[in-house]
Structures are given as structure tokens and as C-alpha cells.
């Protein structure tokens, strides 16, 4: 009799545990049903981040249990630093909001930007739709025609806010290699800088993702309508075999280490994030949905039609990249901090 009672108690315990587990799964799966998810974009309409995000918004909902509507909305300011601070401090952390921010936002606190009111490792990194190769370009008729010209001639480039890549990249290049840049800040986004180039307000841009270039100004690169001075990545892009790679400019071990630290952001070129404290089951749902969308044939066709390059980086990989960069030696970090 005693054995029978123990057996029945065990069965009841297992039954209760199973019911609770099913209930948790059901609640998790049902959470997004009937809801609207906000996809916030830290850059102005028409730019690369905006184009990627709006394309994603058209497809990711079907990969989220409950098939919620996903509504994109632009929240601009300081190269997406305004939005990143909101993600970290004020936006709802129930899983109904996610955002795309500049690739450099993960590293602003590391490099001493006191306007970055967040810890990068606390942010939930969902993944990145692509890795990146950034370009430094000048107008066809600018005095600066090659990267060697930057040693003796100044190039006036447009930039967004303090945390934007368009502002940081030329400063770091100037610090490392004594390149000469006049940086004009205050443009809302990358597309506005390109318009300024066309109007003759500035002569170039020294942070322009190749994927954006092919979307925003089709033919500018391939038809040599601008001078591509050099490419900024850890290795050459296969489509740009003849364009100098900034890594090859390094003459010392310290310069090489600084570039490797600084260009880590290229590995998460189109990142998506959620606020700290989002329940882990909803983080898992959104990471899985982003990964599934990146393999969705309809999404890939939509992206290809807009010349958007997809080279997916998982949320776990993105989180690891962020954590790793904060472990670099202080002397290497200091070079980038002083440039910024």
C-alpha cells in the first residue's frame, strides 16, 4: 500500500510539472498574439539602417508565434545614441519593442562617451542581419583622389552626431595615420550626407557601408562616380579586391590591435537589440524569429531586389563580440578614446 501511495504521488507530481511546463510554453507562445511590436530605427528615413529594418518588418512577424504586426518607426538623434539610451533606460522591456541602432553603439561606453548611459553587455543583442565593410569616399572632383592624398590635403566629410560612425571613423583614422579631415557634423543620417555631397556642401564621407552604397546610390561605386579611398574591415571584401584595406596601413603592432578593436563593430553591421530585463523566453522567441527571417526565401528575395546584403550573425555571437571587446588592454582602448 505504501509503495502504491508513493507511486501515485510521483505520478501526480510529474503530471503537475508537465501541466505547468505546457502552461509556460503556451503562455510564451500566446504572448504576441493580437499584439503590435514596435521596431524602432535609430536613423533617418531612406538610409541603410532604415531600409534593412523596414524590409525586416515586412517579414519577421510570420516567424513570431501569434503573428503580431511589426510597425517600424524612426527615432533619430546623435547617430542613434538617443535611441540606444531609450532602449537601455525607458522603453518597455516586456518584449513588445526592439530596435536597430548604429553598429558602433555597443562600444560607446568603452570608448568614454559619457552620453552613453548604458552598459553594453546588459543590452539584449538579438543578432545582426549582416557583417559590414565601410568605405571612405570622396567626390570625383575633390582634391583628395587617393588615400595617400589625405597625408597632405584635407577632405571635408559629413557626419551625424557624436556617436555616429560617420563622425568616429575619420577621427580614428586621423589619430592613427595622421590623415587630414574636416568633419562637418549635424546631419540627421547617412542619406542626408549623400545629399550634402551632391550639393557640394561636403566633399566626401568616411564611413559608408558597401551594402548601403549599393542601395542608396546605385552605380556610384561600380561606375567610379566617387573615389573609393580605402575600405575599413578586418579583411578585403571580395567585390573590392583593388581597393586598399585599412588594415594594410598599420605599421606597428599597436596600430594593428587598435584597428582590430575598432573594426569589431563591422562584425555586427546591422544589429537589433532589446531592452535589459526582457523575459528570457521572449528573448529566445525574438532571436529565433530574426534567425528564421534571415533564411526566409521571401525575405531574401525582397532584400536582393533592394541590393541588401544578408550575412547573418546570431544573437549569441553578437553578445559574445560585445563582451570580448571590453576585455582589450587599456592602452589599446585609450587610442580610440582619445580620437573620439
Amino acid at each position: 500500500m505504501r509503495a502504491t501511495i508513493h507511486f501515485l504521488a510521483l505520478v501526480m507530481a510529474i503530471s503537475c510539472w508537465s501541466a505547468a511546463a505546457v502552461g509556460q510554453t503556451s503562455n510564451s507562445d500566446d504572448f504576441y498574439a493580437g499584439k503590435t511590436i514596435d521596431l524602432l530605427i535609430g536613423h533617418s528615413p531612406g538610409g541603410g539602417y532604415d531600409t534593412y529594418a523596414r524590409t525586416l518588418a515586412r517579414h519577421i512577424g510570420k516567424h513570431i508565434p501569434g503573428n503580431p504586426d511589426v510597425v517600424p518607426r524612426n527615432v533619430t538623434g546623435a547617430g542613434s545614441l538617443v535611441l540606444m539610451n531609450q532602449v537601455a533606460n525607458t522603453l518597455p522591456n516586456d518584449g513588445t519593442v526592439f530596435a536597430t541602432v548604429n553598429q558602433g553603439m555597443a562600444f560607446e561606453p568603452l570608448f568614454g562617451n559619457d552620453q552613453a548611459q548604458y552598459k553594453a553587455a546588459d543590452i539584449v543583442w538579438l543578432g545582426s542581419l549582416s557583417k559590414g565593410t565601410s568605405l571612405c569616399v570622396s567626390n570625383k572632383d575633390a582634391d583628395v583622389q587617393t588615400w595617400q592624398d589625405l597625408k597632405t590635403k584635407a577632405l571635408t566629410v559629413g557626419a551625424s552626431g557624436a556617436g555616429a560612425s560617420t563622425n568616429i571613423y575619420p577621427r580614428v583614422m586621423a589619430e592613427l595615420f595622421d590623415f587630414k579631415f574636416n568633419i562637418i557634423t549635424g546631419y540627421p543620417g547617412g542619406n542626408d550626407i549623400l545629399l550634402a555631397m551632391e550639393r557640394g556642401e561636403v566633399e566626401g564621407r568616411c564611413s559608408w557601408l558597401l551594402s548601403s552604397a549599393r542601395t542608396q546610390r546605385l552605380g556610384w561605386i561600380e561606375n567610379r562616380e566617387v573615389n573609393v579611398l580605402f575600405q575599413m574591415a578586418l579583411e578585403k571584401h571580395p567585390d573590392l579586391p583593388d581597393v586598399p584595406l585599412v588594415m594594410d596601413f598599420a605599421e606597428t603592432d599597436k596600430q594593428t590591435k587598435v584597428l582590430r578593436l575598432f573594426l569589431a563593430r563591422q562584425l555586427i553591421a546591422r544589429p537589433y537589440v532589446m531592452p535589459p530585463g526582457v523575459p528570457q523566453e521572449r528573448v529566445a522567441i525574438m532571436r529565433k524569429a530574426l534567425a528564421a527571417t534571415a533564411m526566409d526565401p521571401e525575405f531574401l528575395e525582397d532584400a536582393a531586389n533592394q541590393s541588401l546584403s544578408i550575412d547573418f550573425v546570431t544573437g549569441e555571437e553578437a553578445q559574445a563580440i560585445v563582451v570580448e571587446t571590453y576585455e582589450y588592454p587599456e592602452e589599446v582602448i585609450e587610442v580610440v578614446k582619445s580620437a573620439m
Side-chain angles (χ1 to χ4, degrees), residues 97-170:
V97 178
F98 72 119
T100 182
V101 294
N102 187 276
Q103 58 180 303
M105 288 300 104
F107 314 104
E108 288 301 293
L110 177 66
F111 297 143
N113 186 345
D114 58 7
Q115 299 302 309
Q117 302 297 310
Y118 54 89
K119 292 183 178 179
D122 292 345
I123 302 295
V124 176
W125 297 86
L126 297 177
S128 174
L129 286 180
S130 74
K131 300 173 185 176
T133 296
S134 280
L135 308 177
C136 192
V137 304
S138 67
N139 280 337
K140 197 171 184 177
D141 57 355
D143 288 341
V144 173
Q145 297 279 308
T146 68
W147 71 268
Q148 291 93 336
D149 291 337
L150 287 168
K151 292 283 191 179
T152 57
K153 303 172 183 178
L155 179 68
T156 300
V157 295
S160 299
S165 296
T166 46
N167 188 34
I168 296 169
Y169 274 67

Side-chain angles (χ1 to χ4, degrees), residues 67-212:
N67 304 126
D69 292 328
V70 179
V71 179
R73 179 164 59 89
N74 298 87
V75 180
T76 60
S80 79
L81 183 58
V82 168
L83 177 56
M84 189 62 157
N85 281 333
Q86 291 180 11
V87 168
N89 299 295
T90 62
L91 291 177
N93 64 354
D94 61 353
T96 60
V97 178
F98 72 119
T100 182
V101 294
N102 187 276
Q103 58 180 303
M105 288 300 104
F107 314 104
E108 288 301 293
L110 177 66
F111 297 143
N113 186 345
D114 58 7
Q115 299 302 309
Q117 302 297 310
Y118 54 89
K119 292 183 178 179
D122 292 345
I123 302 295
V124 176
W125 297 86
L126 297 177
S128 174
L129 286 180
S130 74
K131 300 173 185 176
T133 296
S134 280
L135 308 177
C136 192
V137 304
S138 67
N139 280 337
K140 197 171 184 177
D141 57 355
D143 288 341
V144 173
Q145 297 279 308
T146 68
W147 71 268
Q148 291 93 336
D149 291 337
L150 287 168
K151 292 283 191 179
T152 57
K153 303 172 183 178
L155 179 68
T156 300
V157 295
S160 299
S165 296
T166 46
N167 188 34
I168 296 169
Y169 274 67
R171 292 184 186 278
V172 172
M173 296 303 109
E175 177 75 15
L176 280 180
F177 305 116
D178 199 29
F179 290 165
K180 301 182 185 304
F181 291 105
N182 293 323
I183 303 171
I184 308 299
T185 61
Y187 291 100
N191 206 44
D192 305 280
I193 297 171
L194 299 178
L195 291 172
M197 289 175 62
E198 293 175 327
R199 292 192 296 261
E201 295 175 8
V202 297
E203 300 171 301
R205 172 177 178 174
C206 201
S207 176
W208 192 18
L209 283 166
L210 178 60
S211 56
S212 294

Side-chain angles (χ1 to χ4, degrees), residues 234-252:
L234 295 177
E235 57 187 26
K236 279 191 176 185
H237 193 283
D239 293 347
L240 302 173
D242 299 323
V243 175
L245 178 68
V246 72
M247 291 297 300
D248 294 336
F249 300 166
E251 297 178 346
T252 67

Side-chain angles (χ1 to χ4, degrees), residues 283-339:
V283 171
I285 286 172
M286 292 301 294
R287 281 180 169 174
K288 184 177 179 180
L290 187 62
T293 307
M295 297 185 293
D296 181 342
E298 292 181 355
F299 168 75
L300 292 173
E301 181 180 3
D302 195 354
N305 289 338
Q306 301 173 84
S307 299
L308 302 180
S309 173
I310 304 299
D311 189 4
F312 185 64
V313 178
T314 69
E316 291 81 3
E317 289 171 329
Q319 201 94 37
I321 290 167
V322 172
V323 171
E324 179 184 334
T325 57
Y326 281 76
E327 297 174 352
Y328 271 82
E330 184 60 33
E331 65 170 351
V332 173
I333 297 170
E334 193 59 38
V335 174
V336 182
K337 286 173 66 174
S338 65

Side-chain angles (χ1 to χ4, degrees), residues 15-87:
S15 298
C16 290
W17 176 85
S18 299
V22 170
Q24 288 176 358
T25 303
S26 176
N27 290 339
S28 176
D29 287 348
D30 292 346
F31 173 77
Y32 287 106
K35 288 186 171 61
T36 296
I37 297 178
D38 290 320
L39 170 49
L40 305 183
I41 305 164
H43 292 269
S44 57
Y49 287 93
D50 182 72
T51 304
Y52 269 88
R54 291 180 183 277
T55 305
L56 177 68
R58 290 194 288 271
H59 298 273
I60 192 172
K62 66 185 177 183
H63 297 288
I64 301 172
N67 304 126
D69 292 328
V70 179
V71 179
R73 179 164 59 89
N74 298 87
V75 180
T76 60
S80 79
L81 183 58
V82 168
L83 177 56
M84 189 62 157
N85 281 333
Q86 291 180 11
V87 168

